[in-house]
């Protein structure tokens, strides 16, 4: 019988509590593919390096893990990305996979969370189901990571999909791209909002969520909103904690295509 590996790859996080969101997705993927041996890899070497230094746990890069799987005689490797968009980290993963494709009889890769329009509609519908019902003076604001990569356009599509579902006061901003917080603030002012719900649009409620979104520094989103006299409620839940998000990844893994 051929040896088969399920390789689940995420950016990673240095916060142990936030890592539970990644573990939830890994566990759900393992349950969906019982005939495969499970392996974890992180694309962020900074994150992996800090975990090894502080916790004594080594988490390989995708390339390192692929080399190990080839040496151990695995013939089929099914790789599933846990990235949100098809940005720089996903491209980095795909480059590493392509370098090893000749070493396996079968090497497939599943798409990140947001790949085609149905993914956006499924995600936004699931998020709406988990949100509190908003009063007329309330809004819900999601913080995405953002990137210089053209895939940054994904965040605007997420917000437009909320509009498609009829959610007029759900907004999406990013830490490192557009839409930025100033865009969100303008929308809040225009709609007469007084109470803002904040949540990360990220797999984990990690460093960006703890600091850039909800931290006490003057430039955090929470602090800036409070400074504009909004009331703020923070919902510190990573996308990876939602079973509906796990189902999207499972479907992508089932539809994985050869590298």
């Amino acid at each position: 019988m051929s040896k088969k590996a399920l390789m689940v790859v995420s950016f990673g996080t240095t916060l142990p509590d936030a890592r539970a969101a990644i573990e939830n997705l890994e566990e759900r993927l393992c349950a969906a593919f019982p005939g495969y041996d499970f392996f974890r890899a992180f694309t962020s070497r900074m994150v992996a390096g800090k975990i090894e230094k502080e916790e004594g746990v080594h988490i390989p890069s995708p390339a390192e893990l692929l080399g190990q799987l080839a040496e151990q005689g695995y013939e089929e490797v099914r790789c599933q990305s846990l990235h949100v968009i098809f940005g720089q980290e996903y491209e980095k993963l795909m480059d590493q996979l392509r370098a090893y494709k000749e070493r396996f009889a079968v090497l497939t890769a599943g798409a990140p969370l947001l790949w085609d329009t149905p993914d956006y509609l499924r995600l936004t519908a699931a998020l709406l189901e988990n949100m509190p019902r908003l009063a007329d003076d309330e809004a819900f604001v999601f913080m995405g990571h953002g990137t210089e990569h053209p895939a940054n356009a994904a965040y605007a599509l997420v917000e437009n999909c909320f509009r498609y579902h009829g959610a007029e006061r759900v907004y999406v901003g990013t830490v490192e791209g557009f839409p930025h917080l100033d865009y969100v603030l303008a929308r809040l002012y225009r709609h007469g909002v007084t109470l803002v719900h904040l949540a990360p649009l990220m797999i984990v409620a990690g460093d960006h969520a703890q600091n850039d979104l909800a931290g006490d520094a003057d430039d955090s989103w929470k602090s800036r909103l409070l400074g504009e006299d909004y009331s703020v409620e923070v919902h510190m839940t990573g996308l990876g904690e939602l079973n509906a998000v796990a189902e999207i990844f499972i479907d992508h893994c089932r539809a994985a295509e050869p590298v």
Side-chain angles (χ1 to χ4, degrees):
M1 182 180 293
S2 64
K3 296 179 68 175
K4 301 189 294 185
L6 172 63
M7 172 179 169
V8 182
V9 182
S10 57
F11 179 84
T13 178
T14 59
L15 302 181
D17 290 344
R19 216 170 295 150
I22 294 174
E23 292 166 356
N24 177 57
L25 297 176
E26 292 171 339
E27 290 169 4
R28 294 293 301 276
L29 282 160
C30 286
F33 296 91
Y36 291 74
D37 297 332
F38 164 73
F39 297 90
R40 169 192 286 177
F42 284 177
T43 54
S44 173
R45 304 325 301 150
M46 180 186 70
V47 168
K50 188 173 181 181
I51 291 172
E52 185 161 16
K53 180 179 179 180
E54 296 181 354
E55 302 177 36
V57 176
H58 178 73
I59 301 175
S61 69
E64 180 184 356
L65 178 55
L66 287 164
Q68 293 171 356
L69 295 176
E71 291 176 1
Q72 293 170 20
Y74 281 89
E75 298 174 14
E76 178 183 346
V77 176
R78 186 179 290 266
C79 177
Q80 179 54 50
S81 157
L82 296 186
H83 300 99
V84 175
I85 62 173
F86 49 99
Q88 293 170 336
E89 292 298 316
Y90 180 71
E91 287 190 346
K92 182 166 68 175
L93 166 61
M94 293 304 296
D95 287 342
Q96 293 179 66
L97 291 174
R98 292 186 190 102
Y100 280 84
K101 67 179 181 180
E102 301 302 328
R103 302 200 49 189
F104 302 97
V106 179
L107 177 59
T108 60
L113 180 64
L114 298 174
W115 186 252
D116 56 17
T117 303
D119 297 332
Y120 290 81
L121 294 171
R122 287 176 68 182
L123 174 64
T124 49
L127 291 173
L128 286 170
E129 289 181 2
N130 283 274
M131 285 182 205
R133 183 177 294 275
L134 299 177
D136 291 342
D137 65 340
E138 294 182 329
F140 209 104
V141 175
F142 285 99
M143 172 194 272
H145 188 281
T147 175
E148 296 179 354
H149 191 280
N152 189 76
Y155 296 105
L157 182 52
V158 172
E159 183 168 310
N160 277 306
C161 286
F162 281 122
R163 300 292 171 274
Y164 175 83
H165 291 303
E168 295 297 327
R169 280 171 287 107
V170 181
Y171 306 110
V172 178
T174 65
V175 185
E176 299 180 7
F178 184 87
H180 41 53
L181 180 57
D182 288 338
Y183 159 83
V184 173
L185 288 170
R187 304 300 295 173
L188 298 176
Y189 177 79
R190 181 174 298 180
H191 286 83
V193 171
T194 63
L195 171 60
V196 179
H197 299 265
L198 287 177
L201 191 72
M202 304 173 185
I203 296 300
V204 301
D207 182 69
H208 283 300
Q210 300 286 341
N211 296 302
D212 297 307
L213 182 71
D216 294 327
D218 291 342
D219 60 350
S220 77
W221 286 25
K222 183 185 76 172
S223 295
R224 287 196 56 192
L225 286 163
L226 291 172
E228 296 285 342
D229 294 326
Y230 292 101
S231 298
V232 178
E233 290 188 16
V234 177
H235 304 264
M236 199 63 72
T237 303
L239 297 178
E241 299 177 56
L242 304 179
N243 288 335
V245 169
E247 289 303 317
I248 296 175
F249 281 121
I250 289 169
D251 287 347
H252 286 182
C253 196
R254 288 187 176 126
E257 297 185 352
V259 173

